[in-house]
Amino acid sequence: MNLSQRVARTIRRHALLARGGRSLVALSGGPDSVALAHLLLELQAAGELTVAGFAHFNHQLRGADADEDESFCRGMAAALGLPIDVARADVRAAAREAGRSIEDVARELRYAFFEQATDRFASDVIAVGHSLDDQAETFLLRLVRGSGARGLAGILPRAGRVIRPLIEISRADLRQYAAERALAFRTDLSNADLSIPRNRVRHELIPYLEREFSPGISRVLAREAAMARDDENRLQQEAIDFTGSIVLRTTAGKIELDAPALRSLHPAIAARVARQALSRLASGRFIGFDHVDRLLRLADALEGEAVDLPGQRAVRRGSVIVLGPPAPRQRARGRENSFRFPLSIPGEVTLDNQGWTVSAERMESLGPGGTGHAKAAEVVVAADPLTLPLAIRSRRRGDRFRPLGLGHRKKLQDFLVDRKIPREIRDSLPLVVDGQDRIVWVVGETVAEDFRVTEPSRGVIFLKARRLGGLG
């Protein structure tokens, strides 16, 4: 069975597209999307489907390289005699405006464009180039992130009108297919950046697992994802059946949940009901295990207790949990540079106005930052004493913490003066804080003594900062 026949089998197995249906192709210019385009054209020649054209989204994140990707895709479409729809967006600016991660906003804008392009081409679906290896990487990333069975289900073969015909095809097979046909494609150099968690999984973790445990680990992980998806579908249907009795009222921007009824559910069902409720107001933000757990704790909380969650705030009111708009960000009087953004694990926040990018990742052993000495751009802190979630914020009046190696707490203001940090940049210096608003890291200066790593086996968090345009 050749590769196009295997793709046809995937399409039939997951009911991705009826025979003869129209599919738009999401074309990034990379090897997987180029192979996808040619494989679907082979299926078109065999009468299986019709390729309606291509759609390319320029995120404007990689300067001239992104423009060259766009030019390549336009040229490929012209060479194949097919139409192409191209859109551009300043994703970095949009993420800054929304106070969200670049990754989240990029995905939201890209898929919104795909939906619009699918309509314009009168297409039934749009095909994207996720492969079996992407599935395996996603499984491991979500396992580390702690997203539960729903997350472990990985990348769905079909989500709405988005289909993934390559989800059962390995990256190696796609590269071989491209090489045999001398297909030209673009190479995204950012895929080699090991500061990005997915790239570390791709280039370090999976090769290690292949070498030390199983040469076919990617297929094993993809199969696990498929099994988790089947289990999740069954449990999710049960959760949907219960939601009607848990959700008491839904209005614009607000949801009310019956706390005693939520508490009475089996934990597996309660977690799914909670996730459904959170997702309605999250505006595309990631909902992880910690977020669901914090909401469920409110079912046993006292009157007035509240938690901040992605895109919303949950408050206990009598026997009801009210999900509503997030609390307004507090801006210190006279400080125009005040900011606060959530920092997921793993995750990254870019602070364009302040000139920093800060990322966090859970690790099993000490990383290059050792125990987090002063002036480090990469540090590790103990995970055990942290209260999640983490956030990045500007300094506030009255901030105090215990600098590394110091036996007593100190005013942050005095610490910055002692370090000779210029007055004009103190308000833009990021602080990583935990869920109790305790200072964990004065970025680029020192970690707090309270979070110094003493027992690495109990878990560490790797924090990294870089100045936009270079390391911090």
Side-chain angles (χ1 to χ4, degrees):
M1 184 181 291
N2 63 31
L3 203 58
S4 64
Q5 291 171 330
R6 290 167 57 194
V7 171
R9 183 180 61 184
T10 297
I11 291 173
R12 288 192 296 270
R13 175 182 293 163
H14 300 289
L16 303 185
L17 181 64
R19 183 178 177 85
R22 289 172 60 83
S23 176
L24 192 62
V25 180
L27 186 65
S28 68
D32 294 347
S33 72
V34 169
L36 171 65
H38 284 271
L39 285 163
L40 294 188
L41 286 170
E42 287 186 23
L43 293 180
Q44 175 176 265
E48 293 283 343
L49 52 82
T50 298
V51 175
F54 301 115
H56 175 79
F57 188 75
N58 185 340
H59 302 83
Q60 297 182 294
L61 291 172
R62 296 167 37 247
D65 283 342
D67 293 338
E68 289 172 13
D69 290 347
E70 178 184 324
S71 178
F72 171 87
C73 291
R74 290 183 184 276
M76 178 175 160
L80 292 172
L82 287 169
I84 184 170
D85 195 355
V86 175
R88 300 175 137 229
D90 187 341
V91 171
R92 182 173 283 109
R96 181 173 62 248
E97 178 69 22
R100 295 166 54 194
S101 72
I102 287 177
E103 179 183 23
D104 282 348
V105 172
R107 186 182 189 283
E108 180 180 290
L109 293 176
R110 181 171 64 251
Y111 279 93
F113 163 64
F114 287 165
E115 284 289 330
Q116 295 163 5
T118 303
D119 286 336
R120 284 192 287 269
F121 279 77
S123 183
D124 300 303
V125 296
I126 180 166
V128 297
H130 291 123
S131 68
L132 178 145
D133 296 84
D134 292 309
Q135 182 75 287
E137 293 160 9
T138 299
F139 182 91
L140 288 173
L141 281 167
R142 292 182 179 177
L143 181 65
V144 171
R145 182 181 279 181
S147 56
R150 180 175 181 273
L152 296 182
I155 305 171
L156 300 178
R158 178 168 187 159
R161 291 194 292 174
V162 175
I163 65 170
R164 298 177 171 93
L166 305 183
I167 200 65
E168 296 173 337
I169 309 296
S170 72
R171 193 174 289 138
D173 286 346
L174 294 170
R175 298 297 188 276
Q176 181 179 349
Y177 174 87
E180 289 173 349
R181 288 156 181 77
L183 300 179
F185 54 80
R186 296 279 297 166
T187 299
D188 184 349
L189 297 180
S190 69
N191 287 334
D193 182 357
L194 296 183
S195 69
I196 299 173
R198 179 175 288 274
N199 291 343
R200 295 182 66 187
V201 169
R202 177 177 301 177
H203 299 299
E204 295 182 344
L205 180 54
I206 286 183
Y208 173 79
L209 293 174
E210 289 176 336
R211 184 175 64 251
E212 300 294 335
F213 292 91
S214 170
I217 191 65
S218 290
R219 291 194 179 279
V220 171
L221 294 173
R223 187 166 62 248
E224 290 295 313
M227 293 169 61
R229 184 168 61 249
D230 289 342
D231 292 346
E232 175 61 21
N233 287 341
R234 181 68 182 91
L235 290 169
Q236 188 67 15
Q237 186 55 55
E238 288 195 34
I240 291 171
D241 293 341
F242 277 104
T243 297
S245 61
I246 303 299
V247 177
L248 301 176
R249 184 179 305 169
T250 301
T251 57
K254 186 175 290 187
I255 297 173
E256 295 183 3
L257 307 175
D258 185 329
L262 182 63
R263 187 171 57 241
S264 70
L265 294 177
H266 185 284
I269 304 301
R272 286 162 175 81
V273 171
R275 186 185 295 275
Q276 286 180 32
L278 289 173
S279 296
R280 293 187 193 183
L281 302 182
S283 300
R285 294 171 174 83
F286 171 73
I287 302 295
F289 172 82
D290 287 337
H291 304 134
V292 171
D293 186 56
R294 293 174 71 202
L295 176 60
L296 291 176
R297 289 182 188 178
L298 277 186
D300 292 309
L302 300 175
E303 169 73 23
E305 288 195 30
V307 292
D308 291 312
L309 297 161
Q312 59 207 289
R313 184 175 178 82
V315 183
R316 181 64 185 263
R317 299 293 186 204
S319 63
V320 174
I321 299 172
V322 180
L323 302 179
R329 290 178 184 151
Q330 297 300 313
R331 186 174 296 274
R333 186 178 302 172
R335 286 189 184 157
E336 296 303 319
N337 207 22
S338 178
F339 57 90
R340 182 185 180 93
F341 300 102
L343 176 61
S344 301
I345 303 174
E348 179 178 274
V349 174
T350 297
L351 306 167
D352 282 343
N353 289 345
Q354 291 73 36
W356 289 92
T357 293
V358 183
S359 62
E361 183 179 355
R362 193 178 297 275
M363 298 180 64
E364 297 301 323
S365 60
L366 285 178
T371 54
H373 294 296
K375 294 293 184 183
E378 300 179 358
V379 301
V380 289
V381 296
D384 198 46
L386 289 171
T387 299
L388 298 179
L390 298 181
I392 300 173
R393 68 165 172 84
S394 54
R395 65 175 181 148
R396 295 174 181 165
R397 189 181 304 278
D399 272 338
R400 291 176 177 269
F401 78 118
R402 192 155 61 111
L404 190 68
L406 198 65
H408 59 85
R409 287 163 59 80
K410 186 171 187 172
K411 288 183 178 180
L412 176 63
Q413 167 70 12
D414 294 342
F415 171 83
L416 297 177
V417 170
D418 292 345
R419 287 296 179 97
K420 296 181 170 57
I421 304 298
R423 182 188 301 272
E424 61 272 15
I425 69 170
R426 293 174 195 167
D427 287 343
S428 63
L429 186 66
L431 307 176
V432 175
V433 298
D434 76 345
Q436 297 182 41
D437 206 40
R438 296 176 296 176
I439 294 175
V440 177
W441 184 28
V442 181
V443 172
E445 296 299 326
T446 187
V447 299
E449 177 68 26
D450 298 346
F451 303 100
R452 179 169 60 89
V453 176
T454 57
E455 297 183 53
S457 63
R458 299 186 67 173
V460 297
I461 303 297
F462 175 45
L463 300 173
K464 178 179 179 179
R466 63 179 184 272
R467 282 283 194 183
L468 297 183
L471 284 176

